[in-house]
Amino acid sequence: MAGVEVSLKEMLTAVEGSLGAAVVDYTSGMALGTLGGGKDLNLTIAAAGNTDVVRAMARTMEQVRVKSSIEDILITLEKQYHLIRLIRARSGNGLFLYLVLDKEHSNLAMARHQLKRVEEQLEI
């Protein structure tokens, strides 16, 4: 089992092209931890903003009566991927992993695989 700090390091170092990572509580919009980012990528603000994305997607799925749960949400920008993975374990209820990737230097499939692995090992 891994804590937030170890999980952030795993997310950032194990996936080539990673620019920043966060563990976020989408009930409050607060990042429990961030790693990476920079002047062009404020992870705290991005994490808070993406809580609205998660909430909107959950509301939409409820309204259209989709019975399946969300695994990932992908936002594709011109030069980046923003990948959100909801944590489904009991200890992670209300949390998501957030990973920002350089589109040219990353492998989206490998990033999704790595986030799943981090999710399985994360202990809050």
Side-chain angles (χ1 to χ4, degrees):
M1 290 292 146
V4 171
E5 191 173 310
V6 170
S7 296
L8 290 169
K9 287 179 184 174
E10 276 287 312
M11 290 165 59
L12 208 57
T13 60
V15 180
E16 187 175 338
S18 295
L19 302 173
V23 177
V24 185
D25 177 346
Y26 65 83
T27 59
S28 69
M30 300 288 293
L32 301 180
T34 63
L35 189 61
K39 69 178 184 88
D40 294 329
L41 177 60
N42 185 320
L43 286 169
T44 304
I45 293 172
N50 279 309
T51 61
D52 292 334
V53 172
V54 171
R55 290 177 191 157
M57 190 66 202
R59 273 193 314 273
T60 301
M61 290 183 61
E62 186 177 305
Q63 290 172 348
V64 297
R65 294 183 171 89
V66 173
K67 300 293 185 214
S68 187
S69 60
I70 300 169
E71 285 185 3
D72 300 321
I73 299 171
L74 174 63
I75 300 168
T76 305
L77 303 180
E78 196 173 304
K79 295 184 179 186
Q80 296 175 345
Y81 292 123
H82 290 242
L83 188 56
I84 298 167
R85 180 164 185 95
L86 274 66
I87 298 173
R88 297 190 293 186
R90 281 188 197 168
S91 65
N93 193 22
L95 302 178
F96 66 85
L97 302 175
Y98 176 52
L99 183 62
V100 180
L101 303 162
D102 179 303
K103 200 172 178 180
E104 277 189 39
H105 300 100
S106 62
N107 180 318
L108 186 56
M110 288 303 295
R112 290 186 70 227
H113 176 74
Q114 182 64 21
L115 283 186
K116 183 177 179 183
R117 197 170 73 74
V118 169
E119 174 198 4
E120 291 168 351
Q121 295 177 356
L122 179 65
E123 186 174 293
I124 303 292

